[in-house]
Amino acid sequence: MPIVPLIVELDAEDLQCATIFVDGFVEGKPYRFVLDTGASRTQLVADRFLDTLESKGEHRSQGVFSQMSQRIVLLQDVSVGPLRGTSIEASVTSDSEENVHSLLGMDLLRGHRLHFAFDREVLIVDEEPFGPDLRALEVDDRYHLYVEAQWPTTVASCVWDSGAGMTIINHEFWSKNKDLFSEVETSIGTDAAGIRGTSTTYEMRSMLIGGFQFAPHHVAVVDLSAANSTLARPMDIILGYPTLRQANWFFDVPQRLWGISRFL
């Protein structure tokens, strides 16, 4: 069965949070990537090899805390286990800060069935659908994966983001639903550009996703209005590791189906 081992690095400041890495190759050279379903494009941190590649243009995008402008290069071969792409237009960031990582984005993931088995810390690729009652999956033009979270009084539009170390609540949603949250502390988060920003950590009440009741867990409240202004469907919540780790998730991206295969 084609699998990709997940390398889970817990956040020393909050053990509910973590970054998920995978190991792969770019034109035969080893790279470690954040596995990032929230990124439409694969991103690499500049190095001597990438500096030799001709720029094909510029890519502008909006992160949680910042805007990004990066050069585009054409990669002839990118592989992570059974995942492989040729002629990939990847963005390259010149930021060498410790908190900036290469990202494996939806340009390599979107053509596959993806089974995130967090209980075994593996990604199973192109497994036949089994077990879970599959639901319709909404995917936007950037291949964000949308699911819904439910409480007795409200419903939230959520992006399922394996690249988010923490679950992020849009400030507007929080302000309208403060009864769902209790304050824990102030924390510092990092977006895809490596820009760090201050946010307040809360514990979010139990919620229902895909027919399963998720336990209360830590979240951060951030103003996502800038990021949402670029999206056809605004995000109320970015579901990150504290939420994702509570289940195994199956996404058939080409057929637009999803389900929870096991609740942990």
Side-chain angles (χ1 to χ4, degrees):
M1 185 179 299
I3 65 169
V4 177
L6 303 180
I7 303 160
V8 178
E9 292 191 3
L10 296 177
D11 187 327
E13 297 180 359
D14 188 337
L15 295 180
Q16 288 194 22
C17 304
T19 303
I20 303 171
F21 294 94
V22 292
D23 284 333
F25 297 89
V26 175
E27 300 189 14
K29 299 171 179 61
Y31 282 80
R32 176 161 288 186
F33 303 89
V34 174
L35 180 61
D36 194 353
T37 59
S40 61
R41 184 190 298 274
T42 290
Q43 170 186 295
L44 296 170
V45 178
D47 59 22
R48 290 183 180 179
F49 165 65
L50 296 171
D51 288 345
T52 67
L53 301 181
E54 179 185 356
S55 294
K56 298 295 183 180
E58 187 178 52
H59 173 61
R60 295 181 180 272
S61 62
Q62 178 67 51
V64 172
F65 299 117
S66 63
Q67 289 186 331
M68 294 167 279
S69 179
Q70 302 163 331
R71 71 185 187 99
I72 301 298
V73 298
L74 184 64
L75 304 176
Q76 298 302 324
D77 183 75
V78 180
S79 62
V80 174
L83 299 166
R84 187 168 186 176
T86 57
S87 298
I88 295 293
E89 290 190 347
S91 60
V92 177
T93 176
S94 58
D95 196 328
S96 59
E97 294 294 326
E98 182 180 356
N99 54 340
V100 179
H101 303 288
S102 295
L103 311 175
L104 187 74
M106 290 301 291
D107 46 359
L108 261 76
L109 298 170
R110 67 194 186 196
H112 299 275
R113 293 187 296 271
L114 307 170
H115 186 189
F116 293 83
F118 284 103
D119 58 346
R120 290 179 283 161
E121 295 189 349
V122 296
L123 170 63
I124 306 169
V125 180
D126 290 333
E127 186 176 19
E128 291 296 328
F130 69 99
D133 294 326
L134 297 182
R135 300 164 180 256
L137 173 66
E138 182 173 344
V139 180
D140 68 9
D141 59 351
R142 300 184 190 181
Y143 284 87
H144 291 124
L145 310 176
Y146 284 88
V147 301
E148 286 191 343
Q150 301 175 334
W151 293 266
T153 57
T154 192
V155 176
S157 176
C158 309
V159 167
W160 198 98
D161 186 356
S162 62
M166 189 172 211
T167 292
I168 303 296
I169 311 299
N170 187 18
H171 186 274
E172 181 180 0
F173 181 84
W174 169 83
S175 66
K176 294 177 180 178
N177 301 279
K178 291 184 180 180
D179 59 311
L180 301 180
F181 306 92
S182 56
E183 187 171 336
V184 178
E185 62 184 357
T186 299
S187 62
I188 298 176
T190 306
D191 69 8
I195 303 300
R196 296 172 72 82
T198 300
S199 58
T200 301
T201 301
Y202 294 82
E203 182 163 279
M204 183 170 61
R205 285 176 50 188
S206 176
M207 61 183 175
L208 195 70
I209 303 178
F212 292 89
Q213 198 74 38
F214 282 67
H217 55 279
H218 290 178
V219 300
V221 174
V222 176
D223 183 1
L224 297 178
S225 58
N228 276 335
S229 69
T230 68
L231 300 177
R233 179 175 176 177
M235 308 173 289
D236 295 317
I237 300 177
I238 300 173
L239 297 179
Y241 184 78
T243 309
L244 307 188
R245 70 187 180 103
Q246 296 189 42
N248 291 346
W249 308 73
F250 178 85
F251 294 96
D252 187 335
V253 184
Q255 297 300 317
R256 303 293 194 268
L257 297 169
W258 77 280
I260 292 176
S261 61
R262 183 180 180 186
F263 195 65
L264 307 179

